[in-house]
Amino acid sequence: MGRSAAFFDLDKTVIAKSSALAFGRPFYRDGLITRRDVVKSAYAQLMFRLGGTDEQTMARTRDYLAALCKGWQVEQVRQIVAETLHELINPYVYAEAAVLIAEHQAAGRDVVLVSASGEEMVRPIGELLGVTDVIATRMTVRDGRYSGEVEFYAAGPSKVEAVNELAAARDYDLADSYAYSDSYSDRPLLECVGHPSVVNPDRQLRKLASENAWPVLEFRHPIPLGRRLRERPAVPVAAAALGVGVGVAIGIAWYGRHRRTRAAATTA
């Protein structure tokens, strides 16, 4: 038996938005992209989410992003991300995801962010969450600029290849490991571990989860890091895994309070 790990998709799983699109405004402000690029990027992201398991869709998305970034200075991108991270990402981290990550770390598991977004974005987001290990898209760099070629595209089956390589290097027991994602495109990632869970799943993934009796988590509370530290929001992840059970629990609590109120009124 090896060690176990927990692999988290990023967009709509850990944060309540697309990490790549989140930086669109500062990229536009600093002249890296045009208004037309913003629209095309949003469309490419939408197409990937709707049909990301199709190889042609993934290839088109990969090639478009590579062409878009060609000529950008890597250091400029890193600086923009560092300057805007707390404004654009921090307020959108799901409290439930932060709690779940902390629980895995407390149990001695390595936590790994696995995202199709660029490593220059994903790694700082990981540091914000206290996560040092990331699997993300890497662009080829020449003379400090993106060349327009993709060194590694972290999407679909490629995610699993990277997970398997990391597991072999660190002696992870994938049968005892965990994975979380919101998208059907991450089916290979979810199927490669012994404990898959789906988070705010799309329709296809919800159906797949039902067929395989995978836990369905509903994350609904994006809270800035500062508030999480001050208020220590103990969002019950185990309860979230019950899906409909959350609503039942709330109903029971409301009904109990309602009965106590009526009893007190009758006694008075």
Side-chain angles (χ1 to χ4, degrees), residues 57-128:
T57 302
M58 286 195 291
R60 284 196 300 267
T61 304
R62 178 200 62 206
D63 294 343
Y64 167 72
L65 294 175
L68 178 67
C69 300
K70 184 176 181 179
W72 292 5
Q73 292 185 1
V74 177
E75 189 54 39
Q76 182 182 10
V77 172
R78 289 175 176 163
Q79 184 176 347
I80 291 172
V81 172
E83 291 175 349
T84 58
L85 183 69
H86 285 273
E87 173 192 353
L88 299 177
I89 299 297
N90 182 31
Y92 298 96
V93 175
Y94 284 121
E96 298 94 333
V99 169
L100 188 54
I101 287 171
E103 288 181 352
H104 279 299
Q105 291 173 329
R109 297 186 191 95
D110 289 347
V111 173
V112 184
L113 289 184
V114 188
S115 174
S117 293
E119 187 174 33
E120 290 80 5
M121 302 175 193
V122 179
R123 191 166 296 281
I125 294 173
E127 292 172 357
L128 183 70

Side-chain angles (χ1 to χ4, degrees), residues 4-218:
S4 63
F7 301 93
F8 284 79
D9 177 46
L10 182 59
D11 299 350
K12 307 298 178 66
T13 300
V14 173
I15 61 175
K17 64 191 316 185
S18 162
S19 53
L21 295 182
F23 294 102
R25 186 176 63 187
F27 286 171
Y28 171 73
R29 179 198 64 202
D30 283 26
L32 293 180
I33 58 177
T34 64
R35 288 184 182 274
R36 184 167 178 267
D37 291 329
V38 172
V39 174
K40 288 183 66 176
S41 297
Y43 179 76
Q45 180 78 7
L46 176 62
M47 290 299 99
F48 178 79
R49 292 187 63 79
L50 292 179
T53 54
D54 177 81
E55 289 187 10
Q56 289 185 338
T57 302
M58 286 195 291
R60 284 196 300 267
T61 304
R62 178 200 62 206
D63 294 343
Y64 167 72
L65 294 175
L68 178 67
C69 300
K70 184 176 181 179
W72 292 5
Q73 292 185 1
V74 177
E75 189 54 39
Q76 182 182 10
V77 172
R78 289 175 176 163
Q79 184 176 347
I80 291 172
V81 172
E83 291 175 349
T84 58
L85 183 69
H86 285 273
E87 173 192 353
L88 299 177
I89 299 297
N90 182 31
Y92 298 96
V93 175
Y94 284 121
E96 298 94 333
V99 169
L100 188 54
I101 287 171
E103 288 181 352
H104 279 299
Q105 291 173 329
R109 297 186 191 95
D110 289 347
V111 173
V112 184
L113 289 184
V114 188
S115 174
S117 293
E119 187 174 33
E120 290 80 5
M121 302 175 193
V122 179
R123 191 166 296 281
I125 294 173
E127 292 172 357
L128 183 70
L129 296 163
V131 175
T132 57
D133 293 314
V134 305
I135 293 171
T137 295
R138 298 189 303 273
M139 311 297 287
T140 302
V141 176
R142 295 193 182 96
D143 300 323
R145 293 179 181 270
Y146 297 117
S147 68
E149 301 168 351
V150 178
E151 181 180 327
F152 172 72
Y153 187 44
S158 295
K159 283 188 177 183
V160 177
E161 293 174 11
V163 165
N164 284 327
E165 290 177 5
L166 188 62
R170 297 193 177 176
D171 195 28
Y172 291 150
D173 179 6
L174 291 181
D176 193 35
S177 293
Y178 297 73
Y180 303 87
S181 179
D182 72 300
S183 175
Y184 187 79
S185 64
D186 277 334
R187 176 176 183 170
L189 172 65
L190 294 166
E191 290 180 335
C192 83
V193 299
H195 303 285
S197 294
V198 303
V199 178
N200 302 340
D202 57 33
R203 184 172 60 183
Q204 282 183 291
L205 185 56
R206 189 177 292 276
K207 182 176 182 291
L208 181 67
S210 176
E211 292 171 350
N212 290 277
W214 293 345
V216 177
L217 312 183
E218 302 291 344

